[in-house]
Amino acid sequence: MNPIKTLAAPLLCLSTLTAAMLPAHAAHAQGEPIRIGWLSSLTGPLSSAAIAENQGVQFAVEEINKAGGINGRKLELITRDTAGDPTKAVNFAKQLAYDDKVSYVIGPVNSGESLATVPILAKAGVPNLIIGTVDELTNPKKYPLAFRVINTNEQWITSANKYALETLKRRKVAVLGDTTGYGASSAKRAAALLEQAGVKPVYSVLIDPNKTSVTDEIEKARAAGADVIMPWSAATGLLARILNARGDLQWDVPVVGHPALMGLPIRNLLNKPSYWDNTYAAGYASTTYDAGGKLPERTQALMTAIQPKLGGKIDFTFWWVALGYDTVKVIEHAVKQTGGTDAQAFRKALESTRGMPGVYADYTWTADDHNGFPDSGMVVNRANTFKDGSFELAGK
């Protein structure tokens, strides 16, 4: 059996959600395509994750269409490049909802854009698959049609904190964030969760992500007695400068934090390859090698299937590909369950979904919780173990 073809096999019998219950405007002809809007920052400073996700989204659409579509209806993907600009994202969200009349919207890719577009799509009554991590993006009462596929930011932070405190046995934490809205809020939340665990950071600072040298901040962290550095920033340039400053000071303190610490661009920004040692990041069970060097079956199946399209080489973190792929498979799951594209039927279908098997994770949503990614899908990886987009598990 081909694992890819069985990823979104229905787990539920939702016989009450039939085409008969759909309003007249949702009763599309069998041959009419299902239109999916895709808000993606394919250019600009936030493009690296979006480009990888786009590979997964496009591959899933092509795979479904080659198999005859969903219930005989092909998928039509309408992609809009936001370039990481919230204003563009808002304009494109309105265009997709009101002019293109899509049935679903995937994205935007980053949380800053999503904070601006989620209310717009909610007002338009268009189901929105969220792939930003900021916790405020899902609220079943305010945004009943918004469902998160990616993990939450808090799941990243909790995983990293647990590894630093319980596995590495560190108690003197230096929390570093950047001055962006995301960096500042994440550093604040990380510090609060540490304090809930009985650990007050010995040093906290927000750094301009464009600052060329962070030696001063790293020296202050060392002077404060820090025995672990925990950075919360998605800016790979800043993260590389943190690792360089630590290395240049010959301070072998562990660094534990944001998944961007594993980003392949960091490798070319380091003064020495060894500066990536003793660095750990929140990651995913789905893209982690086991002790025998193997990936989970579904991940390997998708990787094998998509590799020819990627030129036989995977030079970006594969979880983004898996996430993009799964967003389309979630739509397939809902359409098959409901028999159509009615928005309220979509909501009921996902709120009744338990353990839907994906590549990136197995998803469960409820009426009270529209965050589908399970805690069990989180791990911590060794940052410098990149191989075909995946990583080794951090040691104990």
Side-chain angles (χ1 to χ4, degrees):
M1 182 177 292
N2 186 339
I4 290 294
K5 291 183 179 179
T6 63
L7 293 181
L11 299 183
L12 306 168
C13 180
L14 300 176
S15 58
T16 58
L17 296 174
T18 64
M21 68 177 283
L22 302 182
H25 66 78
H28 297 287
Q30 281 297 306
E32 186 176 344
I34 297 170
R35 309 190 93 190
I36 300 173
W38 171 213
L39 290 169
S40 186
S41 50
L42 294 172
T43 58
L46 304 172
S47 63
S48 58
I51 291 170
E53 286 168 342
N54 188 52
Q55 295 287 352
V57 169
Q58 288 191 333
F59 188 78
V61 168
E62 292 168 5
E63 181 183 72
I64 290 169
N65 284 343
K66 284 180 182 177
I70 307 174
N71 298 339
R73 296 172 62 187
K74 296 294 183 72
L75 302 182
E76 180 183 346
L77 186 66
I78 302 175
T79 303
R80 296 288 180 261
D81 180 8
T82 67
D85 183 342
T87 301
K88 287 185 177 181
V90 165
N91 291 335
F92 283 139
K94 291 178 180 178
Q95 184 184 95
L96 289 170
Y98 296 109
D99 297 334
D100 299 312
K101 300 187 183 305
V102 299
S103 295
Y104 311 95
V105 170
I106 300 169
V109 170
N110 70 80
S111 296
E113 294 174 76
S114 296
L115 287 169
T117 60
V118 165
I120 289 169
L121 294 170
K123 185 177 180 180
V126 177
N128 188 189
L129 294 181
I130 303 295
I131 52 177
T133 62
V134 169
D135 298 289
E136 293 82 359
L137 293 175
T138 55
N139 183 316
K141 292 183 179 179
K142 289 177 64 177
Y143 313 127
L145 297 175
F147 290 81
R148 196 191 313 264
V149 183
I150 196 172
N151 59 283
T152 66
N153 199 47
E154 188 141 334
Q155 285 175 308
W156 275 342
I157 295 170
T158 300
S159 297
N161 282 358
K162 183 177 180 180
Y163 185 76
L165 301 183
E166 298 181 14
T167 302
L168 297 182
K169 308 296 184 184
R170 306 295 166 132
R171 309 294 289 181
K172 298 177 181 179
V173 181
V175 175
L176 280 57
D178 65 44
T179 53
T180 66
Y182 172 77
S185 63
S186 296
K188 181 179 179 180
R189 185 58 181 156
L193 289 173
L194 285 168
E195 293 195 34
Q196 287 180 20
V199 175
K200 183 176 177 60
V202 296
Y203 177 69
S204 297
V205 67
L206 297 180
I207 307 171
D208 185 329
N210 297 312
K211 189 176 181 184
T212 57
S213 174
V214 297
T215 299
D216 182 58
E217 287 83 359
I218 300 303
E219 285 181 334
K220 287 179 179 177
R222 183 167 65 173
D227 58 12
V228 61
I229 296 173
M230 301 195 71
W232 290 104
S233 171
T236 52
L238 174 60
L239 295 172
R241 289 190 289 276
I242 289 170
L243 295 177
N244 281 334
R246 176 193 64 158
D248 289 346
L249 292 170
Q250 298 184 352
W251 184 29
D252 191 30
V253 64
V255 176
V256 184
H258 193 279
L261 283 165
M262 296 187 284
L264 195 58
I266 284 182
R267 182 170 62 188
N268 296 326
L269 298 174
L270 295 176
N271 294 341
K272 295 180 181 179
S274 60
Y275 287 4
W276 220 358
D277 294 345
N278 206 15
T279 302
Y280 311 93
Y284 305 101
S286 57
T287 51
T288 296
Y289 293 101
D290 64 18
K294 293 184 178 181
L295 292 169
E297 182 181 3
R298 295 179 212 149
T299 304
Q300 187 59 61
L302 177 58
M303 189 176 289
T304 300
I306 201 173
Q307 238 171 345
K309 184 175 175 142
L310 302 177
K313 183 179 180 182
I314 298 174
D315 55 3
F316 41 70
T317 43
F318 195 72
W319 69 65
W320 296 124
V321 179
L323 172 62
Y325 180 87
D326 279 2
T327 58
V328 180
K329 301 300 281 187
V330 169
I331 291 172
E332 179 187 43
H333 165 78
V335 173
K336 284 184 174 180
Q337 293 292 328
T338 64
T341 57
D342 177 69
Q344 293 305 321
F346 173 87
R347 177 179 64 82
K348 292 178 182 178
L350 287 202
E351 288 181 346
S352 301
T353 295
R354 305 289 183 270
M356 173 193 151
V359 178
Y360 179 63
D362 290 352
Y363 304 98
T364 294
W365 296 275
T366 69
D368 297 322
D369 189 356
H370 284 192
N371 298 312
F373 192 95
D375 290 345
S376 60
M378 300 298 305
V379 298
V380 173
N381 293 121
R382 288 174 54 208
N384 63 346
T385 58
F386 181 97
K387 178 185 176 184
D388 288 334
S390 299
F391 301 86
E392 294 178 9
L393 192 66
K396 295 184 177 181

